[in-house]
Amino acid sequence: MTAGAYSFLPSLRTGLATRITEPRERAPRASVLVKLTLTGDPLTPGKALEQTVKQPVQIYGPGDVVGVDPRAVSRTEPRPFANNVEPNYLAHVEFYDEDFLWRYSPVLEDGTKRLLPWLALIVLAAESETGAKAEFEEFALPDRPLPFITVTEPAALPPHAELGAWAHVHVNGELDVPLALDLDPARDPVALANLRRVLRENPDSACSRLLCPRHLLPNTTYHAFLVPAFETGRRAGLGMAPGDIEAKTPSWGTPPASVQLPYYHRWSFTTGSTGDFEYLVRLLKPIRADDRVGRRDMDCHRSPGFKLPGVTTPTQPDGVLRLGGALQLPEADEHIDAYENWDNYYADPQRPPYPNQWQQAMAGLINLAEAYQHKTAAAANTELSEKIPDLAKEVDPIITPPLYGRWHALTPRLLTGGSGPVPEGELRGWVHRLNLDPRFRAAAHYGTQVVQARQEEFMAAAWAQIGDVLTANAKIRAAQLAREVGNRLKGKHLDPAAVPAARAADAPPGPSGKALTLTAPAHSRLIQSPAAARATAAAVAGLTGAEQLAGAAGPPGVIEQLVVRFQVEESQVATAPVSPEMRRIMRPGGRLVKGLKFDRDPREDLVPRLDRPPETGGITAAPPKTTPPAVV
């Protein structure tokens, strides 16, 4: 279950309540069909005694409840005796048991598979100081099981047919997809399975909630009552005989009339007049924002220093730009004004092209820091004197403005690269836009000040991160070392030996059994590749070598993949030549190896020769069977 989310279920049935379909006609309770199979031993052999009995059994309903334990109520909202309740909230009550609101429900909601709640929450106004009459009268008689009220304002009662919409199960967490419309176990088992797990592992994370849909008025005292929703429960609470009524008869009719209702739980609260969210929203008055909102004039017509002239691009007034901030008009991005496009960044054909003369001079001044590394200061200043005349007589280097973001963009120069001007697409990149607009340079300057003021903190955080980087690099280097070592070991011990120069023109190197011998301990865990499986299947089918290669390179089919150990056991070689004992006997430098003559390393030559028939140079573990000379 995903945390940080809420899930709501329209209803919940447990136990026998899941078997409720429809009550019998004129029955005061819901019923479930119970089947009992009776078996016995017959007196006459051969005849089995078995009979199935079906009988509807009534279960507890609202008419059997004359009280609710206060401990079943886990929370009420608003709090009892609160005197500043926001009137645009709905009063509700929560129960600890998730199925409590549907535990004694006798009928299903019309057209659905959900039970109607057997409880209802009503909120009625008390007598006010202004003389308004109370909407109820309260009574308590000794011969009545529950205290009751007489509703004098029937319009305050919610419609009985809509009570099912105001009860639900609340779960802390996500049970299923964001929107699940049904909880049929056959179609939506995920949510129900997750709910069962939640109720088993953490029952406190779910509850049932019942709301009253009444819209409250400000500065009014209300009393909330938890009352029965069905007539059988109302009569039981008033001490009346149940009578011959249907289980689905509601406590009040439609439209409701004056009625006596017993209650299981009650509390009171008073609403306030100001301070709620709706009241604060209504205080807001929309006005047309001026185009100067969120902007500040920035004087740029004078020289900013560095022997750079002022901005001469026509603006209103001349040389004054608008420095923007976080607040902008809602439609500012759709309608670009003249202040935002002062340098024709958005390519208006009626205006001078971007970048303008001032921006080109600014880019040349910033690029001097890079130019000083390749030529003398006098030569670099002379090249820029066409755009900044005051540099014509300068022979010493000057302090240049910083290039903001150069390390992030890996850009040491603006507007030009190593081979000439930058392309048109790159010309409007963020690094050029940032450094050639006085407004953005001002914001970048403040950001630089923040970094300089907290540089020790930032460096400490960077060193804290570098530990993970060093660990990751160490793992990468270790993996690279293991790869190289594996390649070296494979080339030294597993690859076929090189053919001598004298035999290189005669025949290519034959197959080597060294790899098969050394990897024998892992054969039970190695699966042959799909191409090898197709080639094996083709060989079994009796195909030629060319057909085997075509089958190995063709599209993969349904090929049974087997481990290498099985392939070796089924071959002519079998497992004895690659067993640990054989590897120990055939080790290089051993007594047996010295006494035998092999053209190559015996670990390379033995296994391939065992796989060939004797007439083609193969060998066997025993000599060929022949008839002894003395046998007639």
Side-chain angles (χ1 to χ4, degrees), residues 45-60:
K47 294 183 179 180
L49 295 180
E50 182 175 340
Q51 183 177 2
T52 301
V53 180
K54 299 181 180 180
Q55 179 67 33
V57 177
Q58 294 185 1
I59 60 178
Y60 282 134

Side-chain angles (χ1 to χ4, degrees), residues 286-305:
I287 61 173
R288 182 66 181 179
D290 191 86
D291 60 352
R292 294 172 295 179
V293 171
R295 295 176 177 175
R296 185 175 180 178
D297 291 343
M298 182 176 179
D299 186 6
C300 300
H301 78 282
R302 292 178 294 185
S303 174

Side-chain angles (χ1 to χ4, degrees), residues 122-481:
I122 61 175
V123 175
L124 303 174
E127 184 178 0
S128 65
E129 298 178 356
T130 60
K133 295 183 179 181
E135 297 176 345
F136 67 95
E137 295 179 357
E138 188 173 2
F139 302 93
L141 299 179
D143 58 341
R144 301 288 179 91
L146 292 174
F148 63 95
I149 58 173
T150 299
V151 181
T152 59
E153 186 61 38
L157 297 175
H160 189 274
E162 300 178 0
L163 292 181
W166 301 101
H168 60 262
V169 178
H170 175 103
V171 183
N172 292 329
E174 184 179 3
L175 299 179
D176 203 347
V177 295
L179 180 61
L181 300 180
D182 200 354
L183 285 180
D184 189 352
R187 288 179 294 175
D188 193 6
V190 178
L192 294 179
N194 290 335
L195 179 62
R196 283 193 292 267
R197 179 171 55 83
V198 170
L199 300 183
R200 181 177 62 254
E201 298 176 356
N202 188 13
D204 295 339
S205 62
C207 68
S208 56
R209 182 181 293 113
L210 181 62
L211 293 89
C212 177
R214 181 172 185 179
H215 181 71
L216 307 180
L217 299 176
N219 297 326
T220 305
T221 300
Y222 288 96
H223 292 259
F225 300 93
L226 186 64
V227 298
F230 294 95
E231 179 65 15
T232 54
R234 188 186 76 86
R235 294 195 176 193
L238 294 177
M240 302 170 58
D244 187 16
I245 60 174
E246 296 187 38
K248 60 182 179 181
T249 304
S251 295
W252 57 87
T254 304
S258 178
V259 62
Q260 288 184 348
L261 292 174
Y263 60 87
Y264 307 110
H265 187 73
R266 66 170 297 178
W267 78 95
S268 63
F269 58 89
T270 303
T271 58
S273 59
T274 59
D276 62 331
F277 182 76
E278 181 180 356
Y279 172 80
L280 297 176
V281 170
R282 294 185 181 278
L283 293 180
L284 300 176
K285 303 299 180 183
I287 61 173
R288 182 66 181 179
D290 191 86
D291 60 352
R292 294 172 295 179
V293 171
R295 295 176 177 175
R296 185 175 180 178
D297 291 343
M298 182 176 179
D299 186 6
C300 300
H301 78 282
R302 292 178 294 185
S303 174
F306 305 101
K307 301 183 181 297
L308 190 71
V311 174
T312 58
T313 302
T315 56
Q316 295 294 332
D318 290 343
V320 176
L321 304 180
R322 292 290 180 87
L323 178 63
L327 296 178
Q328 291 186 0
L329 296 179
E331 300 178 354
D333 294 337
E334 300 178 3
H335 305 282
I336 301 173
D337 54 23
Y339 294 104
E340 185 66 23
N341 198 28
W342 69 275
D343 55 353
N344 199 20
Y345 178 81
Y346 296 99
D348 184 358
Q350 305 298 329
R351 305 183 60 184
Y354 168 86
N356 56 37
Q357 183 179 1
W358 184 90
Q359 291 174 323
Q360 294 179 8
M362 184 67 179
L365 187 62
I366 295 175
N367 294 340
L368 279 180
E370 179 71 13
Y372 289 154
Q373 301 181 18
H374 305 284
K375 60 184 67 177
T376 63
N381 295 339
T382 302
E383 290 181 1
L384 191 59
S385 61
E386 182 181 353
K387 299 175 182 178
I388 306 178
D390 292 346
L391 292 178
K393 300 180 180 180
E394 290 289 340
V395 295
D396 296 326
I398 65 172
I399 299 177
T400 60
L403 199 163
Y404 296 111
R406 64 172 302 173
W407 304 116
H408 303 80
L410 298 179
T411 303
R413 301 172 62 88
L414 296 175
L415 302 184
T416 59
S419 59
V422 298
E424 181 66 22
E426 186 179 348
L427 185 63
R428 284 174 167 77
W430 66 269
V431 65
H432 304 280
R433 177 72 162 164
L434 168 65
N435 287 275
L436 300 181
D437 194 318
R439 303 169 304 162
F440 300 150
R441 290 191 64 86
H445 169 70
Y446 287 121
T448 303
Q449 287 185 332
V450 172
V451 174
Q452 291 176 347
R454 304 177 60 183
Q455 57 184 357
E456 296 297 333
E457 177 184 350
F458 293 153
M459 285 301 300
W463 279 111
Q465 295 178 359
I466 201 65
D468 298 336
V469 175
L470 295 177
T471 302
N473 289 338
K475 293 181 178 180
I476 293 174
R477 288 192 293 269
Q480 293 172 343
L481 176 61

Side-chain angles (χ1 to χ4, degrees), residues 513-567:
K514 190 174 182 181
L516 192 67
T517 304
L518 295 180
T519 59
H523 287 175
S524 60
R525 297 188 296 273
L526 295 177
I527 299 176
Q528 62 179 350
S529 64
R534 286 192 292 270
T536 303
V540 173
L543 301 179
T544 63
E547 292 172 337
Q548 294 178 22
L549 293 177
V558 182
I559 300 298
E560 182 180 7
Q561 296 185 1
L562 304 174
V563 296
V564 177
R565 181 181 178 87
F566 179 82
Q567 300 291 332

